[in-house]
Amino acid sequence: NDGVGMIGTTRPFADFEWMIAWRYLRARRAEGGVSVMTWISLIGIALAVFALIATLSVRSGFRSEFVDTILGANAHATVYYTASVTPSGQLTRTIDDFSDLAARLEAVPGVTTAMPLIKGQVMASSEGHNAGVEVFGIAQSDLLSIPRIATSDRARGDIGRFGEGIAIGEGVARELNVGVGDRIRIISPEGVRTAFGTSPRVNAYEVVYVFSAGRYDIDRTRVYLPFTEAQLFFNRDNVADEVEVMLAAPELVESMTYQLLQAGGDRAMIWTWRDSAGSFLRALDIEDNVMFIILSILVLIAAMNIISGLIMLVKNKGRDIGILRTMGLSEGSILRVFFLCGSLVGVVGTSIGVVAGCLFALYIDPIFELVNYVSGGGVWDQEIRGIYALPAELRLVDVVKSVALSLGLSFIVTIFPARRAARMNPVEALRYE
């Protein structure tokens, strides 16, 4: 009582204020408490924070996985030549000095590898099965520098034998119903030049390596041929179609564009991974922002339950407020008591939501397998999503944003009913008691 009476020296959020707030939160309805509303508010906030963290982690994981497959299975930048006229009067974009061009590009600081490449679209077939594929003609040493191809966890065969055959994506292998050791034919409409015109070229190769880049669209269409063999097959004698560049810091590719163009020469043009995937990444950014706003509204709705609970609590505790005020409690102390009542619900609910959201992100694989099993399979369509599994990446910034949003809204909405309690006239509160 001495602490209560010493209004001028009582520090904010003193022990007795915590004690009163805790007693009110624990009070049963028969004692004038609102335990049911308290539990509803707590569970609502916990679920809203859980949904926010889970969604943000899945979105972050999807973006990281998608970007990783782009950077791990594709060139960070592609240098090609503008069209020029050959002595025979034909337009060509081929690169005849590809070795020198690759050497100049590799000399640029930040470039790890420059790979001459042959590209062409052909038909692949094996025992009645057909598939349209894109052939990449590449040297074996350069193929080994592509992370998602050379170090694929789901790869089969021996990449060391690449010079003896062909490497295909697992989607191509599935379409053609072939495996390591089988032979496939690839058919190009622009093949052997004869006196009667150009006849289709058909070659057979042994499948020596089956890779998985982690992206359905890549695994379904891509095959690799040795560079010299691709030159012969596509009639690219002593030339290359383009030079692919891998960077130590691919996220800085835009700042290196000018240096790469300088090294490439007057005819050089450049196409970066941001040019090819930029629109998709911008769409992901917009979706992330919209998703955060929508889920923030859910957190706000859950926090609004705190107002309902506190208004009921203030009404039920009118007599107690009048007695406490006559005993000497200031308006500030009353405000802090009811502020603690509401904010404690927000803190506990947020804590539960954070724990649940983090566990969901950390154990998403077994959770997803359970959902897939219960639903009978087919929950994740890799043909539509592009990647093979639902990823999640738990980032500290996402957790901090969720906690700050939840606690901020909980504290703000608590102020209004707490001020109503603090301004209650003790005489009016006790008039009918």
Side-chain angles (χ1 to χ4, degrees):
N1 289 338
D2 293 339
V4 176
M6 297 173 64
I7 299 175
T9 59
T10 300
R11 61 181 177 85
F13 299 104
D15 293 343
F16 72 88
E17 295 174 357
W18 287 88
M19 180 192 68
I20 296 172
W22 180 241
R23 287 177 62 89
Y24 284 174
L25 284 176
R26 290 167 44 206
R28 295 187 297 272
R29 189 170 184 83
E31 300 172 0
V34 283
S35 58
V36 174
M37 288 300 300
T38 300
W39 280 106
I40 291 175
S41 303
L42 189 148
I43 293 172
I45 291 176
L47 290 176
V49 173
F50 162 75
L52 185 57
I53 293 178
T55 302
L56 292 178
S57 64
V58 169
R59 297 293 300 174
S60 298
F62 182 85
R63 182 189 180 91
S64 296
E65 179 70 12
F66 191 85
V67 171
D68 189 57
T69 57
I70 294 174
L71 301 180
N74 297 285
H76 302 158
T78 300
V79 177
Y80 58 96
Y81 276 179
T82 56
S84 64
V85 181
T86 64
S88 61
Q90 296 178 331
L91 286 176
T92 179
R93 294 179 180 272
T94 57
I95 305 173
D96 52 4
D97 61 338
F98 58 86
S99 296
D100 293 337
L101 175 59
R104 295 197 304 269
L105 292 172
E106 284 188 343
V108 175
V111 175
T112 58
T113 309
M115 306 173 289
L117 203 71
I118 301 292
K119 269 188 179 181
Q121 294 182 341
V122 300
M123 175 70 73
S125 66
S126 174
E127 299 182 356
H129 299 276
N130 301 294
V133 299
E134 187 173 22
V135 174
F136 284 51
I138 190 172
Q140 181 168 343
S141 58
D142 293 332
L143 182 63
L144 292 173
S145 67
I146 305 177
R148 284 270 181 163
I149 306 300
T151 58
S152 172
D153 294 335
R154 297 160 58 170
R156 304 185 298 276
D158 182 9
I159 196 173
R161 295 185 57 220
F162 175 63
E164 305 173 19
I166 191 171
I168 66 176
E170 67 174 16
V172 177
R174 184 169 54 251
E175 288 290 319
L176 299 180
N177 195 27
V178 297
V180 175
D182 294 331
R183 297 183 71 82
I184 66 172
R185 294 187 304 275
I186 60 174
I187 307 162
S188 173
E190 297 183 4
V192 182
R193 295 188 180 94
T194 68
F196 302 99
T198 302
S199 62
R201 184 189 296 272
V202 181
N203 281 7
Y205 300 97
E206 178 188 353
V207 177
V208 296
Y209 187 65
V210 178
F211 62 85
S212 174
R215 280 265 299 279
Y216 179 83
D217 55 338
I218 294 177
D219 294 342
R220 171 62 184 78
T221 59
R222 186 175 298 184
V223 302
Y224 288 95
L225 266 181
F227 183 74
T228 54
E229 181 62 33
Q231 284 180 314
L232 294 173
F233 187 82
F234 291 107
N235 296 322
R236 303 286 200 273
D237 298 335
N238 299 318
V239 297
D241 290 327
E242 58 191 40
V243 175
E244 295 198 337
V245 178
M246 305 295 281
L247 306 176
E251 65 276 3
L252 302 178
V253 64
E254 292 176 344
S255 64
M256 297 183 62
T257 300
Y258 179 70
Q259 295 172 278
L260 294 174
L261 286 174
Q262 277 191 317
D266 295 337
R267 290 180 56 199
M269 300 289 287
I270 192 167
W271 181 261
T272 70
W273 71 272
R274 288 192 182 276
D275 293 327
S276 59
S279 59
F280 184 82
L281 294 178
R282 285 190 293 272
L284 286 182
D285 289 336
I286 294 173
E287 289 182 10
D288 289 344
N289 294 333
V290 172
M291 192 69 67
F292 184 79
I293 292 173
I294 292 174
L295 292 174
S296 299
I297 295 174
L298 292 181
V299 176
L300 175 61
I301 294 172
M304 294 295 286
N305 287 328
I306 297 177
I307 294 182
S308 302
L310 278 185
I311 290 176
M312 293 177 61
L313 182 63
V314 170
K315 183 177 181 181
N316 292 337
K317 296 296 182 180
R319 176 175 177 272
D320 291 14
I321 294 172
I323 294 174
L324 290 173
R325 288 299 308 279
T326 57
M327 292 174 61
L329 254 69
S330 65
E331 288 188 5
S333 290
I334 298 296
L335 185 146
R336 288 190 292 271
V337 166
F338 287 93
F339 176 81
L340 287 173
C341 288
S343 58
L344 282 174
V345 174
V347 170
V348 175
T350 300
S351 302
I352 295 173
V354 167
V355 172
C358 292
L359 290 176
F360 176 86
L362 295 174
Y363 295 97
I364 188 170
D365 289 336
I367 293 173
F368 185 74
E369 289 176 4
L370 176 62
V371 172
N372 203 41
Y373 173 78
V374 172
S375 62
V379 173
W380 186 265
D381 191 339
Q382 59 194 22
E383 296 186 29
I384 297 176
R385 308 297 181 182
I387 56 180
Y388 293 114
L390 179 66
E393 179 184 347
L394 187 62
R395 300 192 307 172
L396 179 61
V397 63
D398 291 335
V399 176
V400 171
K401 283 166 57 179
S402 303
V403 171
L405 176 68
S406 177
L407 292 183
L409 291 176
S410 299
F411 293 165
I412 291 172
V413 301
T414 300
I415 293 175
F416 301 103
R419 288 183 62 191
R420 179 182 176 183
R423 294 179 176 182
M424 184 177 292
N425 189 326
V427 176
E428 294 294 329
L430 296 174
R431 173 177 294 180
Y432 301 106
E433 297 296 332

